[in-house]
Amino acid sequence: MQTVNTLHMLRTALAQLRGQSDAGGGRIALVPTMGALHEGHLTLVRRAKAEADHVVASIFVNPRQFGANEDLDAYPRQLAADAALLEAEGVALLWAPMVETMYPAGFVTNVSVASISDGLCGAARPGHFDGVATVVLKLFNQVAPDIAFFGEKDFQQLAVIRAMARDLDLTRPHVDSIIGVPTVREAYGLAMSSRNRYLSSEQRAAAAILPQTLAAAAQSIQAGLQTISEAKSVAADDLQRNGFQVDYVEVVDAGTLAPLETLGDRPARILVAARIGGTRLIDNMAIAPARG
Ligand code: AMP
């Protein structure tokens, strides 16, 4: 595996990869990350490897997607350990640019995906999804992958990136080649996250309540035992009783992320963001469409 940190090195390495296949154009998959890799990230890499000739992973802690009071400085950085994990998975190329390379002096462009970015995490984190869309469009243009992989754990992020790809007619990757990968969980149910390392062992135990609460709400809505609004308030109460500060519990259309009051004939999703101690956790699950 080659690790590169300048655009010139990236272009040279990509040209080598593309020239390597007999057909003269090996399929390239991109897996963007912020590093501090865990099994969730590595699952994306394995999916990518199964569907492309070469996997390019990126590691970039993107300052533009962190708010002023967020954990940019404290965000875990462990490039050497991450590189070893990626190499063991058979990644061909690691793109690990510096902030100055991504955002040189004079950088003034912002990519904003309206509406989908506004609610849910966008409400508590103004500008966050603009930062995500801007950096992901840059990564897409830099690497020009045939296919790209993102986790459903960050469900709103995936929806924002798909909307951007659709609206801007991206071709590398095309919107249909932006693949969402199901959330990888700890044995006790918590969605894996680089931020889980901030949790104490007591907080970790308490955090197991989060996916349980979400699954219970999804099931009772799906079975028609509770209305969406009842299920949301029961879930929020349960979380608060277990020491969480609830940011939101919301049920939305899985495609548009518009809030729902009743289940329709389209897939729905229940999403939650809640804090335990200083750590903000997010999670989401599918709710099957109502049966006609
Ligand atoms: P991050 O490094 O947190 O920006 O995440 C990089 C990519 O890995 C994103 O597409 C995330 O959605 C995905 N990811 C993070 N955690 C998980 C997980 N537990 N399961 C599946 N994908 C994940």
Side-chain angles (χ1 to χ4, degrees):
M1 185 183 78
Q2 211 185 331
T3 300
V4 294
N5 62 9
T6 68
L7 281 164
H8 178 74
M9 289 165 81
L10 176 67
R11 275 184 211 118
T12 307
L14 286 168
Q16 275 168 7
L17 287 182
R18 290 210 169 89
Q20 261 175 29
S21 97
D22 293 343
R27 260 168 73 79
I28 289 186
L30 175 65
V31 180
T33 81
M34 299 204 299
L37 302 180
H38 50 66
E39 274 298 307
H41 299 111
L42 299 181
T43 301
L44 265 58
V45 168
R46 287 175 203 135
R47 275 289 307 275
K49 214 159 178 319
E51 293 184 40
D53 301 307
H54 309 290
V55 179
V56 178
S58 64
I59 295 182
F60 180 62
V61 182
N62 174 32
R64 291 172 72 100
Q65 70 187 71
F66 286 78
N69 303 319
E70 294 182 358
D71 56 346
L72 174 62
D73 292 337
Y75 199 86
R77 287 162 173 89
Q78 45 171 64
L79 189 62
D82 287 345
L85 290 171
L86 294 171
E87 179 149 38
E89 295 295 338
V91 168
L93 182 60
L94 170 56
W95 170 222
M98 302 212 300
V99 173
E100 300 71 34
T101 303
M102 289 299 257
Y103 303 120
F107 187 97
V108 290
T109 301
N110 181 52
V111 181
S112 187
V113 178
S115 160
I116 291 181
S117 297
D118 298 339
L120 305 169
C121 286
R125 305 183 71 189
H128 169 69
F129 288 112
D130 286 12
V132 168
T134 303
V135 80
V136 170
L137 184 57
K138 280 179 69 82
L139 292 167
F140 284 173
N141 284 330
Q142 290 163 347
V143 176
D146 299 277
I147 189 166
F149 291 81
F150 294 87
E152 286 184 348
K153 191 216 144 213
D154 299 282
F155 197 78
Q156 189 175 12
Q157 166 172 288
L158 176 59
V160 164
I161 292 164
R162 283 193 167 130
M164 172 180 78
R166 181 199 64 202
D167 292 352
L168 299 182
D169 306 308
L170 298 193
T171 55
R172 277 179 164 258
H174 184 269
V175 60
D176 295 338
S177 297
I178 293 174
I179 310 299
V181 177
T183 302
V184 179
R185 298 177 177 282
E186 304 285 356
Y188 58 94
L190 183 65
M192 289 190 183
S193 164
S194 306
R195 290 186 169 104
N196 290 355
R197 67 188 67 196
Y198 299 151
L199 299 172
S200 67
S201 51
E202 294 80 36
Q203 288 171 337
R204 233 169 265 256
I209 303 289
L210 190 73
Q212 290 165 12
T213 306
L214 209 54
Q219 275 156 22
S220 73
I221 294 168
Q222 206 167 299
L225 299 175
Q226 286 176 327
T227 64
I228 286 177
S229 105
E230 283 164 356
K232 288 195 308 193
S233 75
V234 168
D237 288 349
D238 283 351
L239 290 173
Q240 264 148 19
R241 220 171 319 107
N242 283 285
F244 283 91
Q245 281 173 276
V246 178
D247 195 347
Y248 62 80
V249 180
E250 194 55 89
V251 175
V252 301
D253 179 287
T256 64
L257 304 196
L260 294 177
E261 278 166 25
T262 54
L263 275 195
D265 55 4
R266 288 166 45 79
R269 201 92 187 173
I270 184 164
L271 298 96
V272 65
R275 278 167 216 276
I276 188 154
T279 308
R280 187 171 185 274
L281 301 174
I282 57 172
D283 203 346
N284 66 87
M285 290 180 191
I287 304 176
R291 263 171 257 146

